[in-house]
């Protein structure tokens, strides 16, 4: 079974440019998460989708960040315009659901996209 | 003070050693506790999931929770070079994985 796929793996852009990250979750997983991981820190949730609905986007900086999950499968996270402080790893994770304490609820993470803003 | 504190390390041990990794937390509402392993340039993977206080064992790994002290531990027996990774603790007041608070992670280096 293929894991969570993310692309690109690495991205270098100049500040004020737009950038987009793509995530393909594990087939059949209804819940999709985007996390931000700064160097030397743990992941921090940006947004959680249940199917195509964003059910928790309280930590998403909406002035410059946007996300979508059309048809409840693939998802795209966009930053426009990027700032120097956005340099980080953007992780996508998926799970069958978000409520299970094991099994169905377990998150599977992708390898992340490492963004460098110069 | 952050909700979850974790020593970033690195923690260096010889192969075969018993490793102890720890986190402290301040939010008494946390009831669900997890340990993740993250290899370099990879996403985290779940190692252990525990609820409330007590011990849970899985192979060479033992997770321990002491809610009275707000302290959780992960023990690794017979450590191997392949255990070299960053270990993240995570916790939540609710079941499931939707509202996790992660620690910074501890880098573990196991030398052959």
């Amino acid at each position: 079974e293929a894991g969570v796929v993310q692309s690109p793996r690495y991205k270098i852009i100049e500040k004020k440019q737009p950038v987009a990250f793509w995530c393909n979750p594990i087939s059949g997983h209804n819940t999709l998460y985007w996390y931000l991981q700064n160097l030397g820190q743990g992941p921090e949730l940006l947004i959680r989708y249940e199917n195509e609905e964003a059910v928790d986007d309280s930590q998403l900086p909406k002035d410059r960040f946007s996300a979508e999950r059309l048809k409840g499968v693939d998802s795209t996270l966009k930053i426009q315009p990027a700032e120097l402080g956005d340099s980080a790893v953007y992780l996508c994770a998926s799970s069958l659901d978000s409520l299970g304490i094991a099994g169905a609820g377990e998150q599977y993470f992708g390898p992340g996209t490492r963004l460098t803003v110069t | 003070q952050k909700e979850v504190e974790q020593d970033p390390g690195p923690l260096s041990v010889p192969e075969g050693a018993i490793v102890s990794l720890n986190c402290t937390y301040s939010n008494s509402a946390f009831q669900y506790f997890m340990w993740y392993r993250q290899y370099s340039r990879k996403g985290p993977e779940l190692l252990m999931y525990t609820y409330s206080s007590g011990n849970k064992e899985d192979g060479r790994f033992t997770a321990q929770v002491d809610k009275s002290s707000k302290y959780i531990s992960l023990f690794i027996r017979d450590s191997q070079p392949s255990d070299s990774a960053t270990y993240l603790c995570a916790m939540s007041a609710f079941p499931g994985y939707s509202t996790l608070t992660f620690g910074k992670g501890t880098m573990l280096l196991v030398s052959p």
Side-chain angles (χ1 to χ4, degrees), chain A residues 26-38:
Chain A
I26 293 173
S27 177
H29 280 197
N30 299 317
T31 307
L32 184 145
Y33 308 76
W34 282 104
Y35 287 88
L36 166 71
Q37 187 173 26
N38 285 303

Side-chain angles (χ1 to χ4, degrees), chain B residues 23-49:
Chain B
C23 287
T24 59
Y25 62 95
S26 57
N27 187 344
S28 58
F30 288 146
Q31 297 189 70
Y32 301 87
F33 304 92
M34 287 136 272
W35 285 96
Y36 287 81
R37 177 175 62 196
Q38 186 172 23
Y39 290 112
S40 180
R41 304 196 183 277
K42 301 286 188 183
E45 57 178 325
L46 182 68
L47 285 176
M48 303 282 278
Y49 189 118

Side-chain angles (χ1 to χ4, degrees), chain B residues 8-102:
Chain B
L11 175 63
S12 296
V13 301
E15 183 176 356
I18 296 174
V19 175
S20 173
L21 303 163
N22 312 294
C23 287
T24 59
Y25 62 95
S26 57
N27 187 344
S28 58
F30 288 146
Q31 297 189 70
Y32 301 87
F33 304 92
M34 287 136 272
W35 285 96
Y36 287 81
R37 177 175 62 196
Q38 186 172 23
Y39 290 112
S40 180
R41 304 196 183 277
K42 301 286 188 183
E45 57 178 325
L46 182 68
L47 285 176
M48 303 282 278
Y49 189 118
T50 56
Y51 168 65
S52 195
S53 287
N55 292 358
K56 182 176 181 180
E57 187 173 322
D58 184 1
R60 295 185 296 113
F61 299 91
T62 299
Q64 199 171 75
V65 174
D66 182 349
K67 289 188 67 182
S68 62
S69 301
K70 297 188 178 67
Y71 189 89
I72 69 171
S73 300
L74 178 71
F75 297 97
I76 307 174
R77 291 183 298 280
D78 187 25
S79 57
Q80 303 295 311
S82 58
D83 294 327
S84 297
T86 295
Y87 290 79
L88 298 149
C89 64
M91 44 198 81
S92 174
F94 309 99
Y97 299 77
S98 60
T99 56
L100 298 182
T101 300
F102 283 85

Side-chain angles (χ1 to χ4, degrees), chain A:
Chain A
E1 179 183 88
V4 175
V5 179
Q6 291 188 248
S7 69
R9 291 293 314 278
Y10 305 91
K11 189 73 176 180
I12 301 174
I13 61 171
E14 293 183 348
K15 62 181 180 181
K16 301 185 182 179
Q17 294 300 306
V19 64
F21 314 124
W22 175 79
C23 174
N24 180 235
I26 293 173
S27 177
H29 280 197
N30 299 317
T31 307
L32 184 145
Y33 308 76
W34 282 104
Y35 287 88
L36 166 71
Q37 187 173 26
N38 285 303
L39 186 65
Q41 303 291 322
E44 298 173 26
L45 181 69
L46 289 172
I47 190 168
R48 172 170 63 96
Y49 282 92
E50 299 288 350
N51 298 300
E52 65 273 11
E53 182 181 0
V55 296
D56 183 358
D57 63 356
S58 57
Q59 302 303 312
L60 190 72
K62 297 181 184 62
D63 56 336
R64 298 184 300 107
F65 285 66
S66 65
E68 59 182 13
R69 191 185 184 196
L70 300 176
K71 302 181 181 179
V73 182
D74 294 2
S75 178
T76 303
L77 178 68
K78 298 178 182 177
I79 309 175
Q80 183 171 9
E83 297 178 353
L84 294 176
D86 297 330
S87 295
V89 175
Y90 292 82
L91 293 164
C92 179
S94 71
S95 62
L96 281 170
D97 66 46
S98 62
L99 300 179
I101 62 174
E106 181 178 343
Q107 292 176 332
Y108 295 84
F109 284 84
T113 295
R114 184 176 298 270
L115 173 67
T116 301
V117 182
T118 63

